[in-house]
């Protein structure tokens, strides 16, 4: 069974070919980061246009790398939300055209669910149930994966997503887009205990997140220091901010595992590439005798392999889409 996956929700055009459940034959990712960097963030109109230019060459490369032809493909899975509407529509239109012309089923995949399924590709023996901490540029959520097609939202962010906070704080620190990896790098030279930034909603049994107060605290700190003409140690700010984020994420993820009696925690989404988050979770899960997995770097950020994998498991329960499929920019984890 060959599933062709398509991802175009933000600034990566990606197509992957997956054999059965977890054998990845190709995963081609064309990133637009260098284009958007000069604007300090993703420009939606440019992203859509670039997806249109990139999608056919990416498709060709994915087929060549997998050593298959279009006639070998059994089904098409596409991310239809959440994301930028114009960007999503490029992938959705391509998927519909391919499914129609090849006369194969079309599968509509929630991009966030895709991020969780990236773990099945990096850890082939992984099976539900487990708890997933989904931390991306647009979302922060704890998800109880009861089975491949049955999951519940345990908690999510009330305002900014973790990745969004990284990107906004990076901008204040004068770092380029995307800010997460830049803060991760800069923080390595800083003292995480230098500044005590606030951590919201840390009460017991609260599995919701809030990062806007933390972001404002960093901005206020910077302004305050500037007004008093004091030298700012940017590495200390980056390290202290990063520690505040990872403390909140790890505390809640471990508490939710214990509350739900789950022995496995997985990380998902772009922020899963953060070295402190990964290190802190590794340490704490070991201490609490929990199993911990996270996707390898290339599968953490946006890619089509995770979309193909999620799509494959949807096909097992005949969860197919029809040609009325549209992009849904604000799709949430519980929508289906
Ligand atoms: O999952 P993703 O590729 O796109 C969305 O679906 O949003 O996540 C992108 C986010 C960006 O906010 C980026 O700054 C963040 O992931 N990110 C990181 C790191 N690498 C990427 N955040 C912190 N540390 C990193 N190493
Ligand atoms: Zn993503």
């Amino acid at each position: 069974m060959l599933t062709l996956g398509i991802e175009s929700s933000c600034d990566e055009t990606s197509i992957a070919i997956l054999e059965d459940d977890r054998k990845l034959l190709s995963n081609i990712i064309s990133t637009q980061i260098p284009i958007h960097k000069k604007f300090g963030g993703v420009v939606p109109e440019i992203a859509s246009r670039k997806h249109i230019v990139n999608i056919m060459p990416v498709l060709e490369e994915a087929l060549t790398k997998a050593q298959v032809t279009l006639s070998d493909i059994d089904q098409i899975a596409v991310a239809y939300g959440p994301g930028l509407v114009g960007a999503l529509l490029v992938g959705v239109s391509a998927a519909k055209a391919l499914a129609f012309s090849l006369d194969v089923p079309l599968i509509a995949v929630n991009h966030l669910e895709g991020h969780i399924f990236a773990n099945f590709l990096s850890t082939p023996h992984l099976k539900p149930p487990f708890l997933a901490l989904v931390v991306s540029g647009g979302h922060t959520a704890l998800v109880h994966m009861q089975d491949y097609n049955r999951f519940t939202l345990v908690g999510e962010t009330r305002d900014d997503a973790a990745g969004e906070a990284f990107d906004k704080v990076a901008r204040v620190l004068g770092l380029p887009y995307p800010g997460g990896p830049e803060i991760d790098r800069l923080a390595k030279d800083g003292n995480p205990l230098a500044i005590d930034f606030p951590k919201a909603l840390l009460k017991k049994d609260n599995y919701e997140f809030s990062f806007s107060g933390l972001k404002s605290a960093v901005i206020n700190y910077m302004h305050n220091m500037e007004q008093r003409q004091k030298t700012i140690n940017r590495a200390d700010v980056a390290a202290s901010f990063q520690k505040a984020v990872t403390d909140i994420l790890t505390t809640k993820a471990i508490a939710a595992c214990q509350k739900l009696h789950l022995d496995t925690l997985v990380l998902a989404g772009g922020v899963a590439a953060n070295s402190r988050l990964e290190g802190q979770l590794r340490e704490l899960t070991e201490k609490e005798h929990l199993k911990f997995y996270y996707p390898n770097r290339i599968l953490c950020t946006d890619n089509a392999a995770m979309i193909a994998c999620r799509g494959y498991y949807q096909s097992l329960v005949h969860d197919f889409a029809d040609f009325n499929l549209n992009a849904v920019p604000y799709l949430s984890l519980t929508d289906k």
Side-chain angles (χ1 to χ4, degrees):
M1 170 66 81
L2 290 188
T3 306
L4 184 142
I6 304 180
E7 158 61 37
S8 70
S9 65
C10 192
D11 55 353
E12 266 91 31
T13 319
S14 179
I15 296 193
I17 295 166
L18 180 74
E19 186 180 327
D20 300 329
D21 54 350
R22 297 175 192 202
K23 187 169 174 207
L24 197 53
L25 303 186
S26 64
N27 182 30
I28 306 300
I29 305 167
S30 166
T31 182
Q32 304 176 11
I33 288 177
I35 297 162
H36 298 285
K37 221 174 194 140
K38 50 181 172 285
F39 303 103
V42 179
V43 183
E45 179 65 22
I46 297 176
S48 320
R49 287 168 188 263
K50 284 290 165 195
H51 283 306
I52 293 172
V53 173
N54 292 342
I55 199 144
M56 290 312 287
V58 169
L59 172 64
E60 290 295 334
E61 206 179 323
L63 292 167
T64 308
K65 175 91 194 292
Q67 297 185 308
V68 300
T69 64
L70 272 181
S71 58
D72 298 318
I73 301 299
D74 297 297
Q75 52 189 11
I76 312 284
V78 62
Y80 76 111
L84 301 168
V85 69
L88 287 164
L89 276 172
V90 177
V92 168
S93 309
K96 284 202 240 182
L98 283 169
F100 180 75
S101 60
L102 300 172
D103 195 20
V104 296
L106 175 68
I107 308 161
V109 173
N110 181 319
H111 174 89
L112 296 170
E113 294 174 12
H115 272 302
I116 299 173
F117 278 65
N119 280 284
F120 295 123
L121 298 170
S122 343
T123 308
H125 64 270
L126 177 67
K127 285 193 182 86
F130 56 76
L131 185 85
L133 170 61
V134 186
V135 272
S136 74
H139 290 81
T140 300
L142 286 167
V143 181
H144 181 186
M145 292 283 297
Q146 285 139 312
D147 208 339
Y148 292 104
N149 293 295
R150 198 158 54 91
F151 29 82
T152 42
L153 189 62
V154 180
E156 62 184 336
T157 183
R158 288 188 186 172
D159 40 56
D160 291 353
E164 195 178 351
F166 267 101
D167 294 339
K168 286 178 178 167
V169 166
R171 201 187 284 213
V172 178
L173 286 171
L175 299 167
Y177 173 83
E182 297 288 335
I183 290 193
D184 199 350
R185 253 190 300 276
L186 182 61
K188 291 198 166 58
D189 300 324
N191 173 9
L193 302 173
I195 310 150
D196 190 18
F197 287 126
K199 294 169 201 160
L201 307 176
L202 268 189
K203 282 203 194 86
K204 193 172 180 281
D205 287 340
N206 184 331
Y207 303 106
E208 294 205 303
F209 301 91
S210 169
F211 291 107
S212 79
L214 170 59
K215 174 196 67 191
S216 304
V218 177
I219 296 171
N220 289 343
Y221 172 85
M222 301 284 288
H223 286 168
N224 221 315
M225 293 291 277
E226 274 159 19
Q227 268 170 1
R228 287 166 30 204
Q229 294 182 327
K230 290 203 165 173
T231 327
I232 298 171
N233 185 327
R234 288 159 70 251
D236 280 355
V237 176
S240 303
F241 160 75
Q242 182 171 267
K243 180 183 183 309
V245 175
T246 59
D247 281 355
I248 297 165
L249 293 173
T250 51
T251 306
K252 287 183 183 261
I254 304 272
C257 273
Q258 289 166 339
K259 172 96 183 166
L260 296 163
H261 306 290
L262 294 167
D263 70 352
T264 306
L265 173 67
V266 314
L267 251 183
V271 185
N274 185 267
S275 53
R276 185 181 176 94
L277 180 60
E278 175 218 309
Q280 209 167 323
L281 277 176
R282 187 194 297 281
E283 218 170 274
L284 281 172
T285 47
E286 217 175 280
K287 200 169 131 214
E288 301 295 333
H289 307 290
L290 299 169
K291 283 177 264 180
F292 170 56
Y293 305 105
Y294 60 97
N296 57 41
R297 291 271 147 133
I298 204 71
L299 294 172
C300 280
T301 43
D302 292 348
N303 66 85
M306 65 186 200
I307 304 300
C309 183
R310 174 65 192 120
Y312 172 83
Y313 283 97
Q314 284 177 243
S315 75
L316 296 182
V317 291
H318 305 283
D319 181 7
F320 297 114
D322 62 28
F323 291 116
N324 291 318
L325 179 66
N326 204 348
V328 182
Y330 295 104
L331 188 69
S332 88
L333 259 166
T334 42
D335 291 347
K336 203 77 200 52

